[in-house]
Structures are given as structure tokens and as C-alpha cells.
Amino acid sequence: MNIKVGILGATGNVGQRFIQMLENHPIFDLEVLAASQRSAGKKYADACYWYQSEPIPEEVVNKIVVPTDANHKAFEDVDIVFSALPSDLAKKLEPEFAKAGKLVFSNASAMRMENDVPLIIPEVNPEHFEMIEIQRENRNWDGAIITNPNCSTIGAVITLKPIMDKFGLDLVNITTMQAISGAGYNGVPSMAILDNIIPYIGNEEEKMQSESLKLLGKFENNKFINADFKIGVSCNRVPVIDGHTESIFVKTKEEVEPEKIKEVMNKFDPLKEYNLPTYAKPIIVRDEIDRPQPRLDRDAGKGMSISVGRIRKDPIFTVKYTALEHNTIRGAAGASVLNAEFYVKKYL
């Protein structure tokens, strides 16, 4: 029997991506769509403006949206909720669902850096799921909150993981060129972004730095211990609809040639044995001199793979390369769904 799931914040851009990724899912049955009081009580097609190029899946067109209330009867038989809530609402509402016994797989930033909340990329730090039992004990609830990182963090950390494991990390410097969909449909006015680059995204640099160290750190003695390399980040918004591009500079602890970096990235496929529905090979290495590009490569692995190219020697660092991810799939909804798939396969 499939696991019944719901979506919190179902009418927004990331909520819509959740709907797409859960359509005909072999493990999860989408039972509940929850949103604000403004949308509650309406048919889904009437409650939202559909932003995606594919049509709304038939099974949700006429589904009635319910309030984002953990005590609502619609959630009685739901075991997992996927959260696409804004951070301020997530901080208040996600714990209420965890108290009600639900597993909350959250894309929101509100709880990511809590010392008993796992921040997970399953290809990178699956052992951090072990914090769930400690979280339940600390907070006296039957459910749990499991978070995935910021969209820009995911693309960088997946590419850094095989390098760290094989050669060690000393210094990392990242410059991002982030798509406008990362700010939401109404996030960046057209007059601000057209013919322009905005060299500031609020709190993005701080998130990438702190989240990367937590993700690539250890879980020991029931605590998260940050990784010990130094990381600097500069974030920019660019006039691309989907697809975050990152220029990544890495100084490794062990001297290594670019070909060896390429080799370990190509071999990196840690969850292959689990046969997870949403999983795709995490890194696709491109050999062309001008790839990856958002328009050409963001949908690699159905949007779940990170495309990497231009792996080359650097005179200051050890190596530099360009990485690209689909920010609303691998960097948002897809990350939460993959976390849930892995948890179900490994722990339930």
C-alpha cells in the first residue's frame, strides 16, 4: 500500500513542482493540498495560477484545497507532508505537523540550522537521518522535520562531496548566477532584472556557507560537527528563468590533476542500489568547452542531475569548474521528494 502524503503551500511555484513530481508516483499517493485561507475551500485549478509549461495534472484539478492546519481532518490518514511554505510560516506551522505525528519533508529555510534538525542531501550525508530520534526525544513529538538545503547549496555540495572524500577540501570559493524562479513568481520585477544582473540575494551567501559546512560535516556523539574547510560565496541574480549556474574554485588538501577530479565526479553514484523513483545520476560531466548552459542542461536527469563542465587547473586554487542545477526541481521540490523516498526505503 502506498504512503499517503500532502503538500503545504501547494499553490506556489515550488508547491506546483511537488505536484508534478508526485504525479503517478509509485510510493506516494497525493491526498491533500493545503494552502492559505484565501485558497482553502476552492478547487485547486481555481485557487492557483499555474506557472508551469505542462498542464495541471488531472487528478488535482478538482481537488479541494484545505487550510494549512495540522488538526484538519483531511490530514488524519496522511503520514508525510511536503512543505513549500514561506520561511516565516514554516517556522510556526511545520512543528505543529511534527507534533501531530507527521514526517515533514521541508524545502523551507526556517528549521535547517536547528541543532537537532537534519539537513539532508541523501547522496551526501544520509547518516544525518539518525538525528530524527534525538529530535523526537528533545521536542517530545511523534513526527519529525527533515529539511533539504537552499537550492544553490545543493548544486555546489553534490559536486564537492566526491572531491572531499577522495582528496580533502581546504578552501572553496563559489560565484553563483541564479535564475529568477528562485525568487518566486513575483520575486524580481522585470524592470529590475531585464538587461541586468543583480549582485545581491538576501541571506543567500550566508546560507550557502553555513549549510555547506553542516552538510559536509560529521554526525558524531548525537551532534552535528561542521566540516573544517573554509568557504566563501558571492551570489548574483541573472535573467534566466530556471537553472542556477555556479563557478566553483577548490583547493584540495591533496594535490590532484583535473582529470582525477573528473574521474571521481563521473563515478559518483551513491544511491544507485536503492532504485529510488526520483533519483538520477547526481553528476553529469560535460566535455564540451562551452557547457553546461541553463537552456541546454537544466533538465538533465529529469532536472535531478547536476551538470558539470570546464574542469580545469587553477593557478591559485587546485581546480575550477562550472556547475548547473535545475533550481526548482533538484534544488527544491525534487530534493524533498528524494529525501522522503530514501527515508522510506532505508528506515521504514
Side-chain angles (χ1 to χ4, degrees):
M1 183 181 294
N2 282 8
I3 295 170
K4 294 180 179 179
V5 305
I7 300 172
L8 313 180
T11 56
N13 193 26
V14 174
Q16 293 175 19
R17 287 294 190 191
F18 273 121
I19 287 171
Q20 289 181 315
M21 301 203 76
L22 293 169
E23 184 181 11
N24 300 319
H25 197 281
I27 299 174
F28 303 130
D29 287 337
L30 180 54
E31 293 289 315
V32 181
L33 302 176
S36 67
Q37 288 291 344
R38 184 178 64 252
S39 299
K42 298 178 182 177
K43 293 179 180 179
Y44 184 76
D46 296 329
C48 81
Y49 182 91
W50 187 255
Y51 303 120
Q52 315 308 322
S53 55
E54 301 85 2
I56 303 176
E58 283 296 320
E59 58 265 36
V60 304
V61 168
N62 294 314
K63 191 179 282 290
I64 300 300
V65 178
V66 304
T68 310
D69 179 354
N71 297 313
H72 194 282
K73 63 181 181 180
F75 288 102
E76 283 179 5
D77 297 326
V78 167
D79 296 307
I80 289 174
V81 293
F82 294 102
S83 174
L85 294 171
S87 184
D88 56 339
L89 290 177
K91 195 169 188 68
K92 175 180 182 292
L93 296 174
E94 288 178 0
E96 293 179 4
F97 281 88
K99 287 176 193 172
K102 313 303 179 187
L103 284 170
V104 182
F105 286 88
S106 174
N107 183 65
S109 64
M111 305 290 288
R112 286 176 188 157
M113 299 308 295
E114 295 283 323
N115 60 16
D116 62 354
V117 174
L119 176 67
I120 300 283
I121 300 172
E123 299 98 321
V124 172
N125 61 334
E127 68 279 6
H128 288 201
F129 274 114
E130 294 172 27
M131 181 59 82
I132 288 175
E133 292 308 316
I134 298 162
Q135 181 191 132
R136 286 169 168 161
E137 186 177 333
N138 286 350
R139 298 176 185 252
N140 194 29
W141 57 35
D142 294 325
I145 298 173
I146 302 98
T147 64
N148 57 263
N150 185 1
C151 48
S152 49
T153 304
I154 291 176
V157 166
I158 286 176
T159 67
L160 291 170
K161 173 64 173 174
I163 301 173
M164 184 183 79
D165 285 352
K166 188 70 174 177
F167 309 111
L169 295 176
D170 187 14
L171 302 173
V172 175
N173 188 263
I174 304 170
T175 297
T176 73
M177 292 151 277
Q178 295 179 224
I180 56 176
S181 57
Y185 189 79
N186 296 317
V188 184
S190 60
M191 285 288 286
I193 195 64
L194 289 174
D195 189 34
N196 203 18
I197 292 173
I198 301 172
Y200 172 75
I201 303 172
N203 299 317
E204 195 83 354
E205 294 167 0
E206 294 83 359
K207 287 178 188 175
M208 285 194 72
Q209 289 164 184
S210 60
E211 291 175 13
S212 296
L213 294 174
K214 183 175 181 178
L215 286 158
L216 290 166
K218 299 175 182 176
F219 179 70
E220 289 182 353
N221 301 319
N222 297 334
K223 293 181 179 179
F224 298 124
I225 301 170
N226 278 354
D228 63 356
F229 63 91
K230 293 182 179 179
I231 179 170
V233 181
S234 180
C235 293
N236 306 274
R237 189 74 71 191
V238 298
V240 171
I241 294 174
D242 288 315
H244 287 356
T245 304
E246 301 176 345
S247 290
I248 302 177
F249 296 73
V250 179
K251 183 173 176 56
T252 54
K253 290 184 176 178
E254 177 185 324
E255 276 304 311
V256 58
E257 292 299 314
E259 281 303 313
K260 288 293 184 182
I261 299 287
K262 186 182 294 187
E263 185 179 311
V264 297
M265 283 189 178
N266 265 323
K267 289 181 177 178
F268 186 64
D269 200 4
L271 303 187
K272 186 178 181 180
E273 64 185 274
Y274 290 94
N275 295 314
L276 304 175
T278 301
Y279 184 67
K281 190 171 184 296
I283 302 172
I284 295 175
V285 177
R286 309 288 315 203
D287 291 321
E288 301 92 332
I289 60 172
D290 60 350
R291 301 281 283 276
Q293 297 177 25
R295 201 166 61 193
L296 300 179
D297 299 306
R298 59 192 168 209
D299 293 320
K302 296 184 178 177
M304 289 297 290
S305 297
I306 311 301
S307 294
V308 173
R310 305 206 69 218
I311 302 172
R312 61 211 192 275
K313 205 171 185 67
D314 185 76
I316 300 171
F317 292 78
T318 307
V319 70
K320 54 191 172 186
Y321 58 88
T322 302
L324 172 79
E325 67 157 352
H326 196 303
N327 54 295
T328 62
I329 299 179
R330 175 76 247 208
S336 290
V337 173
L338 185 62
N339 280 351
E341 291 172 354
F342 180 83
Y343 183 82
V344 168
K345 267 288 178 72
K346 178 81 172 176
Y347 295 101
L348 292 187

